[in-house]
Amino acid sequence: MDFAPKPPIPVPAVGVVCLRGEEVLLIRRGKAPRAGEWSLPGGRIEPGERAVDAALRELREETGVEADIIGLVDVVDGIFPEAGMHYVLIDYAARWVSGEPLAGDDAAEARFVRLEEIDALIDWGETRRIIRKVFDMTVGPAR
């Protein structure tokens, strides 16, 4: 019999790069994985829920912000062995429509920040890469 630990089953999840002018909306994670770190609003896709609908729901639940999805950015594997988690993160770009950030659900804090602030705030390089990709797609390179 093989008693070796099995890797975690991948869980489909979404993330949202929500822009308001030249600012991006971030949340401070309230739960594992990466609890206490700044990240993108997002979370698991519920059974029967379309990914794009999950993105808007998670954005609303975690921040109180409403936005329009403007496109798919990338798909990223978030493999966190220390927490026994593997997420397949479907990241969307969105434009802010209304609402001021107010942390809710899994978020401990929520706020808009300027692009220049993300290196100091965000630990995970994939999150920084995704945010820069959206700025390059929407605002233009040279940042």
PDB file of all heavy atoms in Angstrom, residues 8-34:
ATOM      1  N   PRO A   8      -2.657  18.171  -3.108  1.00  0.00           N
ATOM      2  CA  PRO A   8      -4.039  18.661  -3.014  1.00  0.00           C
ATOM      3  C   PRO A   8      -4.719  18.681  -4.380  1.00  0.00           C
ATOM      4  O   PRO A   8      -4.079  18.872  -5.408  1.00  0.00           O
ATOM      5  CB  PRO A   8      -3.885  20.073  -2.457  1.00  0.00           C
ATOM      6  CG  PRO A   8      -2.474  20.448  -2.719  1.00  0.00           C
ATOM      7  CD  PRO A   8      -1.676  19.185  -2.791  1.00  0.00           C
ATOM      8  N   ILE A   9      -6.026  18.479  -4.375  1.00  0.00           N
ATOM      9  CA  ILE A   9      -6.821  18.544  -5.600  1.00  0.00           C
ATOM     10  C   ILE A   9      -6.972  20.008  -5.998  1.00  0.00           C
ATOM     11  O   ILE A   9      -7.326  20.845  -5.162  1.00  0.00           O
ATOM     12  CB  ILE A   9      -8.203  17.908  -5.380  1.00  0.00           C
ATOM     13  CG1 ILE A   9      -8.036  16.411  -5.084  1.00  0.00           C
ATOM     14  CG2 ILE A   9      -9.115  18.130  -6.581  1.00  0.00           C
ATOM     15  CD1 ILE A   9      -9.298  15.723  -4.654  1.00  0.00           C
ATOM     16  N   PRO A  10      -6.696  20.354  -7.266  1.00  0.00           N
ATOM     17  CA  PRO A  10      -6.836  21.757  -7.702  1.00  0.00           C
ATOM     18  C   PRO A  10      -8.278  22.252  -7.552  1.00  0.00           C
ATOM     19  O   PRO A  10      -9.229  21.544  -7.874  1.00  0.00           O
ATOM     20  CB  PRO A  10      -6.430  21.721  -9.173  1.00  0.00           C
ATOM     21  CG  PRO A  10      -5.612  20.484  -9.318  1.00  0.00           C
ATOM     22  CD  PRO A  10      -6.176  19.503  -8.328  1.00  0.00           C
ATOM     23  N   VAL A  11      -8.411  23.465  -7.056  1.00  0.00           N
ATOM     24  CA  VAL A  11      -9.705  24.092  -6.836  1.00  0.00           C
ATOM     25  C   VAL A  11      -9.829  25.294  -7.776  1.00  0.00           C
ATOM     26  O   VAL A  11      -8.957  26.168  -7.781  1.00  0.00           O
ATOM     27  CB  VAL A  11      -9.835  24.573  -5.371  1.00  0.00           C
ATOM     28  CG1 VAL A  11     -11.125  25.338  -5.157  1.00  0.00           C
ATOM     29  CG2 VAL A  11      -9.732  23.396  -4.419  1.00  0.00           C
ATOM     30  N   PRO A  12     -10.891  25.355  -8.592  1.00  0.00           N
ATOM     31  CA  PRO A  12     -11.054  26.514  -9.474  1.00  0.00           C
ATOM     32  C   PRO A  12     -11.426  27.763  -8.671  1.00  0.00           C
ATOM     33  O   PRO A  12     -12.311  27.724  -7.816  1.00  0.00           O
ATOM     34  CB  PRO A  12     -12.185  26.101 -10.414  1.00  0.00           C
ATOM     35  CG  PRO A  12     -12.919  25.015  -9.698  1.00  0.00           C
ATOM     36  CD  PRO A  12     -11.949  24.358  -8.767  1.00  0.00           C
ATOM     37  N   ALA A  13     -10.717  28.850  -8.967  1.00  0.00           N
ATOM     38  CA  ALA A  13     -10.948  30.112  -8.261  1.00  0.00           C
ATOM     39  C   ALA A  13     -10.719  31.270  -9.222  1.00  0.00           C
ATOM     40  O   ALA A  13     -10.179  31.097 -10.317  1.00  0.00           O
ATOM     41  CB  ALA A  13     -10.020  30.221  -7.053  1.00  0.00           C
ATOM     42  N   VAL A  14     -11.144  32.459  -8.801  1.00  0.00           N
ATOM     43  CA  VAL A  14     -11.018  33.664  -9.626  1.00  0.00           C
ATOM     44  C   VAL A  14     -10.311  34.754  -8.842  1.00  0.00           C
ATOM     45  O   VAL A  14     -10.314  34.761  -7.613  1.00  0.00           O
ATOM     46  CB  VAL A  14     -12.403  34.179 -10.086  1.00  0.00           C
ATOM     47  CG1 VAL A  14     -13.045  33.222 -11.075  1.00  0.00           C
ATOM     48  CG2 VAL A  14     -13.316  34.425  -8.900  1.00  0.00           C
ATOM     49  N   GLY A  15      -9.720  35.679  -9.588  1.00  0.00           N
ATOM     50  CA  GLY A  15      -9.142  36.886  -9.023  1.00  0.00           C
ATOM     51  C   GLY A  15      -9.534  38.054  -9.918  1.00  0.00           C
ATOM     52  O   GLY A  15      -9.783  37.859 -11.114  1.00  0.00           O
ATOM     53  N   VAL A  16      -9.594  39.256  -9.337  1.00  0.00           N
ATOM     54  CA  VAL A  16     -10.010  40.426 -10.107  1.00  0.00           C
ATOM     55  C   VAL A  16      -9.004  41.552  -9.927  1.00  0.00           C
ATOM     56  O   VAL A  16      -8.730  41.980  -8.801  1.00  0.00           O
ATOM     57  CB  VAL A  16     -11.407  40.929  -9.668  1.00  0.00           C
ATOM     58  CG1 VAL A  16     -11.828  42.122 -10.511  1.00  0.00           C
ATOM     59  CG2 VAL A  16     -12.434  39.817  -9.753  1.00  0.00           C
ATOM     60  N   VAL A  17      -8.459  42.027 -11.062  1.00  0.00           N
ATOM     61  CA  VAL A  17      -7.630  43.231 -11.072  1.00  0.00           C
ATOM     62  C   VAL A  17      -8.575  44.367 -11.428  1.00  0.00           C
ATOM     63  O   VAL A  17      -8.881  44.598 -12.594  1.00  0.00           O
ATOM     64  CB  VAL A  17      -6.483  43.127 -12.096  1.00  0.00           C
ATOM     65  CG1 VAL A  17      -5.629  44.390 -12.071  1.00  0.00           C
ATOM     66  CG2 VAL A  17      -5.630  41.891 -11.827  1.00  0.00           C
ATOM     67  N   CYS A  18      -9.067  45.052 -10.393  1.00  0.00           N
ATOM     68  CA  CYS A  18     -10.047  46.120 -10.583  1.00  0.00           C
ATOM     69  C   CYS A  18      -9.332  47.464 -10.588  1.00  0.00           C
ATOM     70  O   CYS A  18      -8.712  47.852  -9.589  1.00  0.00           O
ATOM     71  CB  CYS A  18     -11.087  46.069  -9.464  1.00  0.00           C
ATOM     72  SG  CYS A  18     -12.354  47.346  -9.604  1.00  0.00           S
ATOM     73  N   LEU A  19      -9.424  48.164 -11.723  1.00  0.00           N
ATOM     74  CA  LEU A  19      -8.772  49.459 -11.868  1.00  0.00           C
ATOM     75  C   LEU A  19      -9.757  50.600 -11.698  1.00  0.00           C
ATOM     76  O   LEU A  19     -10.890  50.535 -12.171  1.00  0.00           O
ATOM     77  CB  LEU A  19      -8.133  49.581 -13.251  1.00  0.00           C
ATOM     78  CG  LEU A  19      -7.066  48.553 -13.630  1.00  0.00           C
ATOM     79  CD1 LEU A  19      -6.530  48.860 -15.019  1.00  0.00           C
ATOM     80  CD2 LEU A  19      -5.957  48.490 -12.606  1.00  0.00           C
ATOM     81  N   ARG A  20      -9.296  51.632 -11.007  1.00  0.00           N
ATOM     82  CA  ARG A  20     -10.014  52.903 -10.908  1.00  0.00           C
ATOM     83  C   ARG A  20      -8.991  53.961 -11.288  1.00  0.00           C
ATOM     84  O   ARG A  20      -8.116  54.298 -10.491  1.00  0.00           O
ATOM     85  CB  ARG A  20     -10.544  53.127  -9.490  1.00  0.00           C
ATOM     86  CG  ARG A  20     -11.309  54.439  -9.350  1.00  0.00           C
ATOM     87  CD  ARG A  20     -11.958  54.588  -8.006  1.00  0.00           C
ATOM     88  NE  ARG A  20     -10.942  54.857  -6.980  1.00  0.00           N
ATOM     89  CZ  ARG A  20     -11.215  55.044  -5.687  1.00  0.00           C
ATOM     90  NH1 ARG A  20     -12.459  54.951  -5.246  1.00  0.00           N
ATOM     91  NH2 ARG A  20     -10.256  55.283  -4.829  1.00  0.00           N
ATOM     92  N   GLY A  21      -9.086  54.417 -12.529  1.00  0.00           N
ATOM     93  CA  GLY A  21      -8.052  55.316 -13.039  1.00  0.00           C
ATOM     94  C   GLY A  21      -6.727  54.582 -13.070  1.00  0.00           C
ATOM     95  O   GLY A  21      -6.610  53.524 -13.685  1.00  0.00           O
ATOM     96  N   GLU A  22      -5.737  55.109 -12.374  1.00  0.00           N
ATOM     97  CA  GLU A  22      -4.430  54.461 -12.322  1.00  0.00           C
ATOM     98  C   GLU A  22      -4.178  53.803 -10.970  1.00  0.00           C
ATOM     99  O   GLU A  22      -3.035  53.666 -10.539  1.00  0.00           O
ATOM    100  CB  GLU A  22      -3.336  55.460 -12.681  1.00  0.00           C
ATOM    101  CG  GLU A  22      -3.441  55.885 -14.130  1.00  0.00           C
ATOM    102  CD  GLU A  22      -2.159  56.484 -14.669  1.00  0.00           C
ATOM    103  OE1 GLU A  22      -1.087  56.335 -14.054  1.00  0.00           O
ATOM    104  OE2 GLU A  22      -2.242  57.120 -15.721  1.00  0.00           O
ATOM    105  N   GLU A  23      -5.266  53.376 -10.337  1.00  0.00           N
ATOM    106  CA  GLU A  23      -5.163  52.656  -9.070  1.00  0.00           C
ATOM    107  C   GLU A  23      -5.732  51.249  -9.240  1.00  0.00           C
ATOM    108  O   GLU A  23      -6.607  51.024 -10.076  1.00  0.00           O
ATOM    109  CB  GLU A  23      -5.962  53.361  -7.973  1.00  0.00           C
ATOM    110  CG  GLU A  23      -5.459  54.744  -7.611  1.00  0.00           C
ATOM    111  CD  GLU A  23      -6.341  55.381  -6.557  1.00  0.00           C
ATOM    112  OE1 GLU A  23      -7.586  55.353  -6.719  1.00  0.00           O
ATOM    113  OE2 GLU A  23      -5.781  55.891  -5.564  1.00  0.00           O
ATOM    114  N   VAL A  24      -5.241  50.321  -8.416  1.00  0.00           N
ATOM    115  CA  VAL A  24      -5.729  48.946  -8.418  1.00  0.00           C
ATOM    116  C   VAL A  24      -6.265  48.623  -7.020  1.00  0.00           C
ATOM    117  O   VAL A  24      -5.718  49.072  -6.011  1.00  0.00           O
ATOM    118  CB  VAL A  24      -4.623  47.945  -8.843  1.00  0.00           C
ATOM    119  CG1 VAL A  24      -3.443  47.953  -7.877  1.00  0.00           C
ATOM    120  CG2 VAL A  24      -5.182  46.548  -9.009  1.00  0.00           C
ATOM    121  N   LEU A  25      -7.332  47.846  -6.981  1.00  0.00           N
ATOM    122  CA  LEU A  25      -7.967  47.465  -5.729  1.00  0.00           C
ATOM    123  C   LEU A  25      -7.283  46.233  -5.150  1.00  0.00           C
ATOM    124  O   LEU A  25      -7.168  45.215  -5.824  1.00  0.00           O
ATOM    125  CB  LEU A  25      -9.449  47.178  -5.969  1.00  0.00           C
ATOM    126  CG  LEU A  25     -10.291  46.789  -4.770  1.00  0.00           C
ATOM    127  CD1 LEU A  25     -10.272  47.865  -3.690  1.00  0.00           C
ATOM    128  CD2 LEU A  25     -11.721  46.509  -5.217  1.00  0.00           C
ATOM    129  N   LEU A  26      -6.840  46.334  -3.902  1.00  0.00           N
ATOM    130  CA  LEU A  26      -6.218  45.208  -3.206  1.00  0.00           C
ATOM    131  C   LEU A  26      -6.973  44.899  -1.926  1.00  0.00           C
ATOM    132  O   LEU A  26      -7.631  45.772  -1.361  1.00  0.00           O
ATOM    133  CB  LEU A  26      -4.763  45.530  -2.840  1.00  0.00           C
ATOM    134  CG  LEU A  26      -3.792  45.787  -3.969  1.00  0.00           C
ATOM    135  CD1 LEU A  26      -2.400  46.074  -3.395  1.00  0.00           C
ATOM    136  CD2 LEU A  26      -3.735  44.627  -4.938  1.00  0.00           C
ATOM    137  N   ILE A  27      -6.826  43.659  -1.492  1.00  0.00           N
ATOM    138  CA  ILE A  27      -7.357  43.255  -0.190  1.00  0.00           C
ATOM    139  C   ILE A  27      -6.213  42.656   0.620  1.00  0.00           C
ATOM    140  O   ILE A  27      -5.267  42.097   0.067  1.00  0.00           O
ATOM    141  CB  ILE A  27      -8.519  42.235  -0.313  1.00  0.00           C
ATOM    142  CG1 ILE A  27      -8.125  40.986  -1.112  1.00  0.00           C
ATOM    143  CG2 ILE A  27      -9.736  42.871  -0.930  1.00  0.00           C
ATOM    144  CD1 ILE A  27      -8.035  39.758  -0.261  1.00  0.00           C
ATOM    145  N   ARG A  28      -6.309  42.796   1.941  1.00  0.00           N
ATOM    146  CA  ARG A  28      -5.389  42.081   2.826  1.00  0.00           C
ATOM    147  C   ARG A  28      -6.126  40.800   3.219  1.00  0.00           C
ATOM    148  O   ARG A  28      -7.236  40.855   3.757  1.00  0.00           O
ATOM    149  CB  ARG A  28      -5.036  42.896   4.058  1.00  0.00           C
ATOM    150  CG  ARG A  28      -3.956  42.213   4.894  1.00  0.00           C
ATOM    151  CD  ARG A  28      -3.646  42.946   6.177  1.00  0.00           C
ATOM    152  NE  ARG A  28      -3.139  44.266   5.997  1.00  0.00           N
ATOM    153  CZ  ARG A  28      -1.842  44.594   5.963  1.00  0.00           C
ATOM    154  NH1 ARG A  28      -0.923  43.652   6.058  1.00  0.00           N
ATOM    155  NH2 ARG A  28      -1.469  45.848   5.841  1.00  0.00           N
ATOM    156  N   ARG A  29      -5.499  39.659   2.919  1.00  0.00           N
ATOM    157  CA  ARG A  29      -6.149  38.365   3.140  1.00  0.00           C
ATOM    158  C   ARG A  29      -6.375  38.115   4.622  1.00  0.00           C
ATOM    159  O   ARG A  29      -5.468  38.299   5.427  1.00  0.00           O
ATOM    160  CB  ARG A  29      -5.319  37.244   2.526  1.00  0.00           C
ATOM    161  CG  ARG A  29      -5.229  37.372   0.995  1.00  0.00           C
ATOM    162  CD  ARG A  29      -4.649  36.159   0.339  1.00  0.00           C
ATOM    163  NE  ARG A  29      -5.238  34.928   0.778  1.00  0.00           N
ATOM    164  CZ  ARG A  29      -6.413  34.447   0.370  1.00  0.00           C
ATOM    165  NH1 ARG A  29      -7.104  35.105  -0.521  1.00  0.00           N
ATOM    166  NH2 ARG A  29      -6.872  33.305   0.835  1.00  0.00           N
ATOM    167  N   GLY A  30      -7.576  37.672   4.952  1.00  0.00           N
ATOM    168  CA  GLY A  30      -7.918  37.373   6.325  1.00  0.00           C
ATOM    169  C   GLY A  30      -7.766  35.899   6.677  1.00  0.00           C
ATOM    170  O   GLY A  30      -7.803  35.537   7.842  1.00  0.00           O
ATOM    171  N   LYS A  31      -7.586  35.044   5.653  1.00  0.00           N
ATOM    172  CA  LYS A  31      -7.491  33.592   5.867  1.00  0.00           C
ATOM    173  C   LYS A  31      -6.374  33.004   5.021  1.00  0.00           C
ATOM    174  O   LYS A  31      -5.911  33.622   4.064  1.00  0.00           O
ATOM    175  CB  LYS A  31      -8.814  32.916   5.482  1.00  0.00           C
ATOM    176  CG  LYS A  31      -9.997  33.339   6.328  1.00  0.00           C
ATOM    177  CD  LYS A  31     -11.250  32.595   5.894  1.00  0.00           C
ATOM    178  CE  LYS A  31     -12.431  33.005   6.752  1.00  0.00           C
ATOM    179  NZ  LYS A  31     -13.661  32.342   6.327  1.00  0.00           N
ATOM    180  N   ALA A  32      -5.973  31.775   5.367  1.00  0.00           N
ATOM    181  CA  ALA A  32      -4.974  31.049   4.589  1.00  0.00           C
ATOM    182  C   ALA A  32      -5.549  30.709   3.217  1.00  0.00           C
ATOM    183  O   ALA A  32      -6.768  30.583   3.082  1.00  0.00           O
ATOM    184  CB  ALA A  32      -4.583  29.762   5.315  1.00  0.00           C
ATOM    185  N   PRO A  33      -4.749  30.565   2.201  1.00  0.00           N
ATOM    186  CA  PRO A  33      -3.299  30.740   2.255  1.00  0.00           C
ATOM    187  C   PRO A  33      -2.917  32.223   2.214  1.00  0.00           C
ATOM    188  O   PRO A  33      -3.719  33.063   1.805  1.00  0.00           O
ATOM    189  CB  PRO A  33      -2.816  30.012   0.996  1.00  0.00           C
ATOM    190  CG  PRO A  33      -3.947  30.151   0.028  1.00  0.00           C
ATOM    191  CD  PRO A  33      -5.208  30.136   0.877  1.00  0.00           C
ATOM    192  N   ARG A  34      -1.721  32.525   2.635  1.00  0.00           N
ATOM    193  CA  ARG A  34      -1.141  33.862   2.602  1.00  0.00           C
ATOM    194  C   ARG A  34      -1.926  34.864   3.463  1.00  0.00           C
ATOM    195  O   ARG A  34      -2.071  36.029   3.102  1.00  0.00           O
ATOM    196  CB  ARG A  34      -0.989  34.346   1.163  1.00  0.00           C
ATOM    197  CG  ARG A  34      -0.187  33.370   0.286  1.00  0.00           C
ATOM    198  CD  ARG A  34       0.033  33.843  -1.114  1.00  0.00           C
ATOM    199  NE  ARG A  34       1.291  34.497  -1.352  1.00  0.00           N
ATOM    200  CZ  ARG A  34       2.486  33.923  -1.339  1.00  0.00           C
ATOM    201  NH1 ARG A  34       2.611  32.667  -1.050  1.00  0.00           N
ATOM    202  NH2 ARG A  34       3.582  34.612  -1.594  1.00  0.00           N
TER     203      ARG A  34
END
